[in-house]
Amino acid sequence: MNIENKTISLVLGSGGARGLAHIGVIQVLEERGYLIRSISGSSMGALIGGIYAAGKLDTYSQWVCALDRLDVLRLLDFSFSGAAIFKGDRIINTLRELIGDRNIEDLPISFTAVATDLEESKEVWLSSGPLFNAIRASIAFPTIFSAFPHKGKTLVDGGLLNPIPIAPTLRDETSLTIAVGLCGKARHLIDQPVPVQKTSEKRNKYQQKIIDYIDGLQRKNGSKEEDTGIFDIISKSIDAMQSTISSFKLAAYSPDIVIEIPKNVCSIYEFERAAELIEIGRQEATARLNEFDYPL
């Protein structure tokens, strides 16, 4: 396949920490000579896609792979409004400083972040304005991160209505549409790397209390159903909802290539496993693309 026929529209799905696998997928696509001309993303797909469109994915990858669990927790700013557990401002401000904010219309690659209008119950496509405002709106999952006000609308996570947003790419003048879903069928990954537990520096009492609190939300010590933590319930609920919607979206729009990350590789909040998840993305992309005979 010649270079002209290797231009692609890339659709990056939602799925929390599993979205770090998008980095590995993008790496493989670039290594194989695919030219990403357009990106559409929901939630974590919008975050990774937007950073890639800004030309800063390597910077982000190095940063996120260096995070341990305590580093991740430090990025969470508790909300006392009662509307959500976290405000979500600290992580976005950190990324703005790391990546540098730009207007979407000035990016070298066409980019659309998908959010949900909570009042109107419909999708909102954000393809202009400050990049990190669009990302912030797209990742605002209810109860976890506060909703994002935008032009009189209350915007929340795009994955609620469209976890794999193919529609924004339909008018692209590219040769292929490649969609990456994060709710693939659960299965055992033979080559899955063994996760490496990073150790933090000595924690103070306040930091340990934060970790203990999050542990309590995630999972209690018992094994009975009633001992399941709120984060686990939310995670499984999101997976069930998004798996169903994704199936309908893929059937309706039929992208040329679908790369699916198994939903059991991690929970939605295990961002400290970045290096492992990037490698899983590489493995899944390589296996899927090997099924297509597109010589350079």
Side-chain angles (χ1 to χ4, degrees), residues 140-214:
F141 194 86
T143 72
I144 302 297
F145 289 121
S146 301
F148 186 77
H150 177 73
K151 296 182 179 180
K153 302 178 184 295
T154 301
L155 302 184
V156 294
D157 197 295
L160 289 177
L161 294 182
N162 198 346
I164 188 161
I166 302 166
T169 69
L170 293 180
R171 294 185 179 182
D172 291 346
E173 296 181 357
T174 53
S175 300
L176 295 170
T177 298
I178 298 179
V180 186
L182 302 178
C183 300
K185 185 178 179 181
R187 60 182 172 82
H188 175 66
L189 299 178
I190 297 175
D191 297 325
Q192 182 173 342
V194 177
V196 177
Q197 296 296 326
K198 301 174 184 177
T199 57
S200 304
E201 297 176 357
K202 186 177 180 180
R203 302 165 180 159
N204 61 38
K205 292 182 180 180
Y206 176 71
Q207 292 168 340
Q208 188 60 52
K209 286 182 178 179
I210 293 177
I211 291 176
D212 292 342
Y213 174 74
I214 297 297

Side-chain angles (χ1 to χ4, degrees), residues 163-164 166 241-254:
I164 188 161
I166 302 166
M241 175 189 70
Q242 295 190 345
S243 292
T244 301
I245 298 175
S246 293
S247 296
F248 283 111
K249 295 294 183 181
L250 290 171
Y253 294 109
S254 300

